[in-house]
Amino acid sequence: MDSPLGLLAELTYRCPLGCAYCSNPLNLADYQDELNTEQWRRVLAEASDLGVLQCHLSGGEPLLRRDLVEIVADANDLGLYTNLVTSALGLSRSRAEQLRTAGLDHVQISIQSDEPAGSDRIAGTPSFQRKVEAMGVVKELGWPLTVNVVLHRHNIDRVAGVLELAESVGADRVELANTQYYGWAWRNRAALLPSRAQLETAEVVVRAARERLRNRMDIIYVVSDYYGRYPKPCMGGWASRQLTVTPNGDVLPCPAAQPLPLPRASVRVDSLERIWADSPVMTAFRGTDWMPEPCRSCRRREVDFGGCRCQAFQLTGDAARTDPACHLSPDHELVVRAVEAANSGSTGGDRPMSPRPHRVR
């Protein structure tokens, strides 16, 4: 068993946006009792002792935590590399300067499209201009900047414009991540899944931009595994290199694992060290002994680790099944049917979506 390298600290699920692709859990009310400052301080210390090197401060919107500066300062004192994953709503210059003084190392700002009307429509609130202004503040204060865009049917055709926007604000890195279908995104999958033609066009644009900008900006393109032959690796293996602490203190191998029917582990009850080493939620799919066929005898079993346990559960109701995104999975037809529907000729634009509820208190 390896020590984890990264901690995703989901400080709150409150958020001013209402994105229909959000992967936060549907049962947001269950996470209102958030860890307080002292509890997060203990979590960070225990994570450092466990070997964690990187701390990603996320949500929801982490800027809604009034103690965010204190949390960043504590992480910095422990020698953790800190990355703020934010919508940038609430990142005023004064707040940014406080976070810079506290030792924040990196800022990742999400944006929904490259033009105001489309971005604001997807976000569910006017936000585009404030995001662009915040990107300018980030660069002026000397931080590395990552621009993150979750891609789906309603914005993937804007990839060229998104890359131009990222270049214009001086982004060091841009993440173009096709939607992963958990939480609200799962509920809205029929309206979000892009067509094959859309994906092929976007990939041509991304390849050209990588060539043109290879010495100026890193471009990460996360493909849609519904269209691949093999599934994405499961976080480098279940409970192998990463862990997540949710706003209420639950500890998970990844942020999408909330719905899995596994016993809960919480920092309110136990230490991160014991949870990482011994809790059922961490040991259930660690390694390869749990694997069914065809994974057990597959030469790729330590490459993609059977695929995503959360996606397997989402699609089949059994987290121990081979990820249906894999073309070798006995359940692959579930993905094939979804892809066929996305390519059936409908634009998807008339399909109703359930936006994530706005919560700021």
Side-chain angles (χ1 to χ4, degrees), residues 16-28:
L17 304 186
C19 306
Y21 59 77
C22 182
S23 60
N24 281 171
L26 300 179
N27 54 327
L28 293 173

Side-chain angles (χ1 to χ4, degrees), residues 319-337:
R321 300 283 288 179
T322 300
D323 185 345
C326 181
H327 77 286
L328 300 173
S329 167
D331 302 304
H332 185 58
E333 182 63 24
L334 296 171
V335 170
V336 171
R337 288 202 298 267

